[in-house]
């Protein structure tokens, strides 16, 4: 697994373990802007950290600690990939418009 840089480690340490402890970005006191936070979260995920995000009022971020939590954490990405592949397929099949 890739080593984390100090900022990645600091953000990773802020994220609670277990879905029952998930917390919203605004409650994590990350002291970075939201865009940077999302970038770091995705970097952590690419480095093999299983970080889930639950949408909605009761949602937030969590580090998966069980196989069930891993499934929950990856489900949204699988749905997103499926939707994006459907878009790619439709675009490849579409007729191109001619410029007049």
């Amino acid at each position: 697994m890739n080593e984390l840089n100090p900022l990645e480690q600091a953000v990773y340490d802020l994220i609670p373990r277990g879905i029952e402890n998930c917390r919203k970005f605004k409650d994590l006191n990350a002291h970075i802007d939201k865009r940077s936070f999302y970038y770091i979260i995705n970097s952590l995920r690419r480095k093999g950290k299983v970080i889930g995000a639950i949408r909605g009022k009761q949602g937030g971020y969590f580090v998966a600690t069980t196989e069930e939590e891993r499934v929950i954490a990856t489900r949204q990405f699988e749905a997103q990939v499926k939707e994006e592949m459907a878009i790619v397929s439709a675009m490849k099949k579409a007729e191109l418009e001619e410029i007049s």
Side-chain angles (χ1 to χ4, degrees):
M1 188 174 305
N2 298 323
E3 285 192 38
L4 306 183
N5 67 42
L7 184 55
E8 289 170 332
Q9 187 65 56
V11 169
Y12 186 67
D13 290 344
L14 288 175
I15 302 168
R17 276 46 181 169
I19 196 169
E20 68 280 353
N21 299 311
C22 67
R23 292 181 55 202
K24 295 191 178 302
F25 165 75
K26 67 180 182 173
D27 298 325
L28 291 175
N29 297 316
H31 302 293
I32 56 174
D33 62 277
K34 198 177 246 188
R35 185 181 192 107
S36 297
F37 178 79
Y38 292 148
Y39 178 82
I40 293 166
I41 291 295
N42 284 334
S43 177
L44 289 166
R45 288 170 171 157
R46 283 189 300 274
K47 290 183 175 184
K49 300 298 184 183
V50 185
I51 300 170
I54 304 297
R55 295 182 178 125
K57 265 187 172 180
Q58 304 303 317
Y61 292 91
F62 66 95
V63 173
T65 58
T66 66
E67 193 58 39
E68 182 180 355
E69 290 177 353
R70 179 199 311 267
V71 169
I72 292 168
T74 58
R75 186 180 302 143
Q76 69 180 347
F77 293 106
E78 291 170 337
Q80 182 178 342
V81 167
K82 187 176 180 179
E83 176 64 20
E84 290 183 6
M85 288 306 297
I87 291 169
V88 167
S89 178
M91 290 176 69
K92 284 184 173 183
K93 293 175 185 175
E95 295 290 326
L96 296 176
E97 296 180 24
E98 290 187 26
I99 300 175
S100 321

